[in-house]
Amino acid sequence: MSYHDLSSRLEQIRERIAEHQRIGGWTHPVTIVAVTKGHPAEAVRAAVRAGLTIVGENRVQEALAKQDLLADLPVTWHLIGSLQRNKARQAVGKFGLIHSVDRVELASELARRCPPGLRQPILIQVNCSDEPQKGGVEVDGVRALVDAVLAEPALELRGLMTMAELTDDVAVQRRAFGRLREVRASLEQAGIALPELSMGMSDDFPAAVAEGATMVRLGTVLFGPRPPR
């Protein structure tokens, strides 16, 4: 598969990000996480050639295999998919950021698996769409999970993550993303600094940017559909 048009796609995406930051009244930088789930290692190399330095993967095993193949590349790997406790040992120290910590048991296991001297950066995943099938801690449980993470010296809490309902309704998308921003604002009023809001994927990142996203997780819009296996 060829990724020859990635640079032009990326330029268009950055223009859309700038446009929707203006709509929302934001001026902070927005980090693009290039999601290469299901794509071959060449997609990561193409991303680096285009100037992207952060790569997101959904599954620990796929990510580790690519890391081994691409150890020469100057990229930071993020784990953006759900993480099972039995994979915590394999994940710690392998990702610059884990986006999907959604329960105390997982946070505790990650902390327990960190070797001495390592602090694992994480985000707390919040269910802002009220969909029972979605991962993430419920909004009313966020503070307890935040406190549990902050009590673990081996974990570094960087912010929050969410996913909106799968819909073309921009108002519904923005409602979910705005809710995460409000959760962060409430926590920051309590003195808890949470600089990162990871929200928005290929189909809804403009709405996320308008609501203040600091990170967007983009796969299909960058690389096209995943190749068949």
Side-chain angles (χ1 to χ4, degrees):
M1 176 172 287
S2 172
Y3 301 100
H4 66 276
D5 60 346
L6 181 56
S7 292
S8 61
R9 290 190 190 198
L10 181 57
E11 182 178 357
Q12 293 169 6
I13 288 166
R14 285 182 167 144
E15 289 172 356
R16 293 182 71 189
I17 288 173
E19 174 191 353
H20 285 83
Q21 278 209 296
R22 288 191 293 270
I23 289 171
W26 308 104
T27 59
H28 58 258
V30 176
T31 299
I32 296 173
V33 180
V35 179
T36 53
K37 170 189 174 183
H39 287 273
E42 176 53 31
V44 182
R45 293 193 182 278
V48 172
R49 289 195 296 268
L52 295 168
T53 60
I54 298 178
V55 173
E57 284 285 340
N58 285 61
R59 297 185 177 92
V60 173
Q61 290 306 117
E62 183 176 350
L64 296 182
K66 286 178 181 172
Q67 288 178 18
D68 287 343
L69 285 172
L70 301 166
D72 59 310
L73 291 187
V75 297
T76 300
W77 296 83
H78 286 195
L79 182 65
I80 64 171
S82 62
L83 178 62
Q84 297 175 339
R85 283 180 63 191
N86 63 3
K87 293 291 197 301
R89 179 181 59 81
Q90 296 169 283
V92 292
K94 298 295 185 178
F95 298 94
L97 189 61
I98 295 174
H99 289 230
S100 51
V101 176
D102 60 358
R103 57 202 185 279
V104 172
E105 295 81 5
L106 176 58
S108 299
E109 186 68 8
L110 286 168
R112 188 173 77 87
R113 294 295 186 175
C114 283
L118 174 70
R119 292 192 77 207
Q120 175 63 58
I122 68 158
L123 304 179
I124 286 177
Q125 182 176 351
V126 185
N127 186 339
C128 289
S129 63
D130 293 326
E131 296 174 277
Q133 74 274 20
K134 276 278 199 316
V137 61
E138 299 299 325
V139 169
D140 61 5
V142 172
R143 180 58 193 265
L145 181 51
V146 166
D147 289 343
V149 169
L150 292 176
E152 297 284 2
L155 301 181
E156 179 185 351
L157 180 57
R158 294 270 185 88
L160 307 174
M161 183 271 261
T162 200
M163 293 182 287
E165 182 179 342
L166 186 60
T167 175
D168 293 331
D169 189 330
V170 175
V172 173
Q173 295 170 1
R174 289 194 63 164
R175 189 178 307 123
F177 298 137
R179 194 177 184 191
L180 189 71
R181 176 171 43 78
E182 291 165 0
V183 169
R184 179 179 71 169
S186 175
L187 291 164
E188 290 191 328
Q189 285 180 353
I192 301 168
L194 298 167
E196 301 292 355
L197 287 180
S198 171
M199 54 190 197
M201 299 185 291
S202 289
D203 290 336
D204 57 18
F205 75 89
V209 169
E211 290 295 337
T214 68
M215 289 183 177
V216 291
R217 310 179 302 272
L218 306 182
T220 302
V221 72
L222 279 172
F223 302 107
R226 292 192 293 271
R229 294 195 169 190

